[in-house]
Amino acid sequence: MDDTKFGTRNKRGDWSPNEPLGIAPVFVFPPKLIAFIKWIPHYFFPWNIIFAATAVAYWAWVIPPVDELRTLGFGWALWLFVVNSICVFLFYGAFELQLYILRRQGNRFKYNAKFPSDHKSKAFWFESQVIDSMLRTFLSGVTIWTAIEVGMLWGYANGYIPWLSFAENPWTLAIVALLVPAIHEVHFFWIHRLIHTPFLYKWVHSVHHNSVNPSPWSSLSMHPIEHLLFFGSALYHLVLPSNPILMLYQLHYSGFGAIPGHVGFDKVEVTDDVAVDSHAYAHYLHHKYFEVNYGDAMIPLDKWFGTWHDGSPEGQALMEARYRKQKEKLQLKKAKQQETHVKGGAE
């Protein structure tokens, strides 16, 4: 496909879309009914339906019988860890293979023209972003994902967590299922703001931000504390009127859903004429500028809290103006501290 029909490339070869990022028409006022109706299929396809389908498939073919879940056992916990690891390897690896190893798409629609494997960095284990990210994904990410999964399934099996059946509560569960992406987004936004506080950023979140030029395996390249917070979205189902399948959907939305935001390409080509939108631009801008787009852009939380960057020159100007104000406040604070120190010394 010709990516110049959809965006522009700068002198460094970095690509950006022509159209600035927008917000979901759900939150547009006054309401735009036609835009909302056109948006509805994009809410489900392709990503959300994939993550929901994997949850159903897990329940049908992977999760052990309820009687077995009632007793915590190393055997079934290890089984889930192995299955999660295989699925992550296949899903993440498919994007890595096609886009970054075989490079079948070249750099068409690639935000950052460089490929991480072409550049070594001491910020990563073995000076390799890919190796570092893969090790963190499996050693910590999949382990914590599985631990939360095991604990929640054990709680459901023993009646400690509300378990509604689809037969008796179809509408309630349908609403919760529709809200799973929104739950993830709100949760992600607030934990993301939390781990951007100076102390947690330095000791926790900086691990993830080492991937300034993210690629598929960057998705779960995190510090263990961040993994715990990230997959903690499943814990809302401790109190929600839910059931194990929707809890799995919530987990999969985090685990598999991290891929689109880190794939590094605006579109993933399926054929010469067909491509799937990754919706990765908002999060790519976060990796590029650090203090913008803490959410995933479906709910306009960043817009409401003043950290939105839509990729346009206007968005860039607003970000730079905010940085200048922050710098001025910091300088003023330092000046006051120095003045207080001088006065204290004089006395």
Side-chain angles (χ1 to χ4, degrees):
M1 296 180 71
D2 184 1
D3 60 0
T4 60
K5 293 181 179 179
F6 302 89
T8 56
R9 197 173 297 282
N10 63 21
K11 293 180 180 179
R12 294 191 300 272
D14 300 341
W15 186 92
S16 59
N18 288 329
E19 296 297 324
L21 290 166
I23 62 174
V26 180
F27 301 97
V28 172
F29 188 83
K32 296 182 179 179
L33 182 59
I34 301 299
F36 174 73
I37 293 173
K38 290 182 178 179
W39 170 81
I40 290 175
H42 297 284
Y43 181 78
F44 294 99
F45 298 97
W47 303 114
N48 290 358
I49 200 72
I50 291 174
F51 309 142
T54 60
V56 174
Y58 259 60
W59 186 250
W61 298 307
V62 176
I63 304 301
V66 174
D67 288 343
E68 187 175 347
L69 297 177
R70 289 195 180 102
T71 303
L72 288 173
F74 179 77
W76 66 267
L78 179 61
W79 160 249
L80 290 180
F81 175 79
V82 170
V83 172
N84 288 339
S85 297
I86 291 172
C87 289
V88 165
F89 180 79
L90 293 176
F91 189 61
Y92 284 44
F95 287 95
E96 183 75 26
L97 178 66
Q98 294 296 314
L99 298 174
Y100 287 84
I101 297 176
L102 301 178
R103 302 187 186 181
R104 287 183 172 166
Q105 197 169 309
N107 67 350
R108 293 189 298 277
F109 299 105
K110 192 173 189 305
Y111 303 126
N112 188 318
K114 296 178 180 178
F115 285 84
S117 59
D118 293 340
H119 305 275
K120 292 185 177 182
S121 171
K122 292 184 178 179
F124 302 107
W125 291 339
F126 306 104
E127 299 186 9
S128 168
Q129 178 173 316
V130 174
I131 295 175
D132 180 287
S133 298
M134 290 184 71
L135 288 172
R136 292 183 187 278
T137 294
F138 291 107
L139 292 176
S140 172
V142 179
T143 301
I144 290 173
W145 170 353
T146 305
I148 292 174
E149 183 179 31
V150 167
M152 292 294 287
L153 290 171
W154 174 81
Y156 276 117
N158 286 283
Y160 301 139
I161 307 174
W163 182 339
L164 276 62
S165 71
F166 284 97
E168 296 177 357
N169 305 275
W171 293 108
T172 300
L173 294 178
I175 291 170
V176 174
L178 287 172
L179 290 176
V180 162
I183 292 168
H184 172 85
E185 176 127 8
V186 174
H187 174 79
F188 179 64
F189 178 83
W190 286 113
I191 66 160
H192 205 174
R193 292 300 300 262
L194 173 67
I195 57 181
H196 266 266
T197 54
F199 179 81
L200 288 176
Y201 183 86
K202 178 180 180 181
W203 296 106
V204 176
H205 193 46
S206 59
V207 170
H208 186 66
H209 269 286
N210 285 336
S211 299
V212 177
N213 179 14
S215 59
W217 286 110
S218 304
S219 305
L220 288 182
S221 176
M222 303 174 184
H223 187 282
I225 292 176
E226 184 170 355
H227 279 135
L228 187 61
L229 292 170
F230 184 65
F231 287 110
S233 60
L235 301 181
Y236 292 105
H237 294 260
L238 288 168
V239 294
L240 283 172
S242 185
N243 78 13
I245 297 177
L246 296 186
M247 182 277 296
L248 290 170
Y249 178 23
Q250 194 78 64
L251 271 176
H252 290 195
Y253 197 94
S254 297
F256 298 121
I259 269 282
H262 296 87
V263 75
F265 288 75
D266 196 69
K267 297 180 186 294
V268 178
E269 295 176 1
V270 180
T271 68
D272 291 339
D273 302 313
V274 178
V276 175
D277 290 334
S278 68
H279 304 295
Y281 195 44
H283 197 64
Y284 168 76
L285 290 174
H286 175 76
H287 274 263
K288 185 176 182 179
Y289 297 121
F290 294 89
E291 295 182 14
V292 299
N293 299 356
Y294 292 96
D296 289 333
M298 183 184 71
I299 301 174
L301 289 163
D302 283 288
K303 203 160 190 175
W304 295 339
F305 288 93
T307 52
W308 178 238
H309 193 326
D310 63 2
S312 68
E314 293 77 14
Q316 184 74 13
L318 287 171
M319 180 191 72
E320 291 172 354
R322 189 171 73 254
Y323 286 173
R324 283 197 297 271
K325 286 183 180 179
Q326 290 174 348
K327 186 176 181 180
E328 289 169 2
K329 285 183 179 179
L330 183 61
Q331 290 174 339
L332 182 61
K333 183 179 179 180
K334 286 183 177 179
K336 287 183 177 180
Q337 289 175 340
Q338 289 176 349
E339 183 179 349
T340 302
H341 180 73
V342 170
K343 287 182 178 179
E347 292 175 357

